[in-house]
Amino acid sequence: MLKKRIIISLTFLDGVLFRTKNFKPDYRYTKNFIDLWSIDELLMIDISKQKFSKKYLSLINFFSKNCFVPISVGGGINSIQDADVYFKSGADKIILGPGTISNSDITKEISMKYGKQSIIQALDCKRISDENYDVYSESGKKSLNTSPVSLGKKALSNGAGEILINSIDNDGSLLGYDIKLIKKSSQQLDCPIIALGGAGNWNHLLELFKETNISAASTQNIFHFTEQSIISAKNYLKNHEIKIRN
């Protein structure tokens, strides 16, 4: 069995790190916390109106040179040329938004050039009933009227290699992951799954790995970006018999 991964997700607005809880900037951590992390991967997502700014590209370059784990980058990718910019800036993988799934050529072209392992397809999901979810685009404003599983399968057939399941309802809540959403998606999508949205303590990570077969947990709000917090989380999981990367 492959060991589980702990991934940190960072959201940037105009070059400044924002935490999703209450959506407030956190100026302290933008460049000061990466040297000794025990994380397994890093996600960087730009939510600025002006995409591909020099400020954001310089941040990608900075992290790629100073943080020795795979770095996945997203924000505004609508063509292979957009993906080229991020890869040239130091990204190991790119994150495609839900809106790109309808244009299969984008994923196919990127997959042919860089390989499917370089593409993470993000699915921003919102609960519409007790058992059903829709995927939303445009920062959670527009429903695509399609289930995460249906769009996930389409993204994989287009050439994506990994799926990021983000719960819009739980994002920033610190109340735990949407286990029902993640379990349902991971049971029907044949690829590595990253879960995002809601982690507030180590037990939420444990519950996620115990109750689902996903490969990675991603979070940002519960970490203060110190070596001790990552080690603490991993030790907690190991003590509860979760096989986690060192």
Side-chain angles (χ1 to χ4, degrees):
M1 178 184 294
L2 293 176
K3 292 183 177 180
K4 307 298 185 180
R5 294 172 287 156
I6 299 294
I7 299 175
I8 294 294
S9 174
L10 303 181
T11 301
F12 293 92
L13 177 64
D14 298 328
V16 176
L17 176 65
F18 269 66
R19 293 198 184 192
T20 53
K21 183 175 175 57
N22 299 323
F23 200 68
K24 293 182 178 180
D26 200 330
Y27 298 99
R28 294 173 296 166
Y29 296 118
T30 300
K31 283 188 176 181
N32 302 318
F33 53 89
I34 61 170
D35 292 336
L36 298 175
W37 282 6
S38 291
I39 60 170
D40 300 307
E41 294 184 31
L42 175 65
L43 305 183
M44 298 178 63
I45 301 173
D46 185 28
I47 58 171
S48 309
K49 289 185 178 179
Q50 180 186 350
K51 306 299 183 185
F52 309 100
S53 67
K54 289 183 179 180
K55 188 179 293 185
Y56 185 54
L57 296 180
S58 69
L59 280 171
I60 298 169
N61 185 258
F62 174 84
F63 279 96
S64 70
K65 290 180 178 179
N66 292 278
C67 189
F68 302 105
V69 297
I71 297 174
S72 301
V73 179
I77 301 174
N78 291 303
S79 68
I80 190 166
Q81 289 79 17
D82 292 338
D84 288 339
V85 172
Y86 283 152
F87 282 121
K88 289 176 181 177
S89 296
D92 298 290
K93 304 177 186 178
I94 50 97
I95 305 167
L96 296 179
T100 63
I101 299 176
S102 60
N103 185 351
S104 61
D105 289 343
I106 296 173
T107 309
K108 289 177 180 178
E109 288 180 24
I110 298 172
S111 181
M112 288 181 63
K113 184 172 183 178
Y114 294 101
K116 69 177 184 179
Q117 79 287 342
S118 69
I119 302 174
I120 298 175
Q121 176 65 62
L123 300 178
D124 296 325
C125 310
K126 186 178 290 187
R127 189 184 304 109
I128 57 173
S129 71
D130 187 52
E131 295 291 334
N132 298 302
Y133 298 82
D134 272 354
V135 177
Y136 279 66
S137 62
E138 299 179 11
S139 299
K141 297 175 183 177
K142 179 182 178 181
S143 173
L144 299 181
N145 296 311
T146 312
S147 72
V149 170
S150 295
L151 283 183
K153 288 182 177 179
K154 185 173 182 180
L156 294 175
S157 68
N158 289 343
E162 198 164 3
I163 301 291
L164 171 65
I165 300 289
N166 177 42
S167 169
I168 295 174
D169 303 293
N170 291 35
D171 189 22
S173 71
L174 305 182
L175 298 176
Y177 294 96
D178 188 330
I179 299 297
K180 185 178 290 186
L181 164 66
I182 298 162
K183 180 183 288 187
K184 188 174 184 179
S185 301
S186 62
Q187 286 175 342
Q188 300 181 64
L189 295 174
D190 186 19
C191 69
I193 301 286
I194 303 170
L196 176 63
N201 57 55
W202 302 159
N203 195 59
H204 290 153
L205 299 174
L206 176 63
E207 180 186 24
L208 178 71
F209 288 132
K210 286 280 190 181
E211 296 294 328
T212 76
N213 63 351
I214 65 155
S215 59
S218 183
T219 182
Q220 66 167 298
N221 289 323
I222 62 171
F223 290 118
H224 294 289
F225 309 119
T226 65
E227 177 73 2
Q228 187 59 43
S229 67
I230 307 298
I231 291 177
S232 175
K234 290 193 170 185
N235 285 339
Y236 180 85
L237 294 170
K238 289 177 184 177
N239 290 337
H240 287 80
E241 300 181 341
I242 300 297
K243 293 185 177 180
I244 197 81
R245 292 186 185 180
N246 292 323

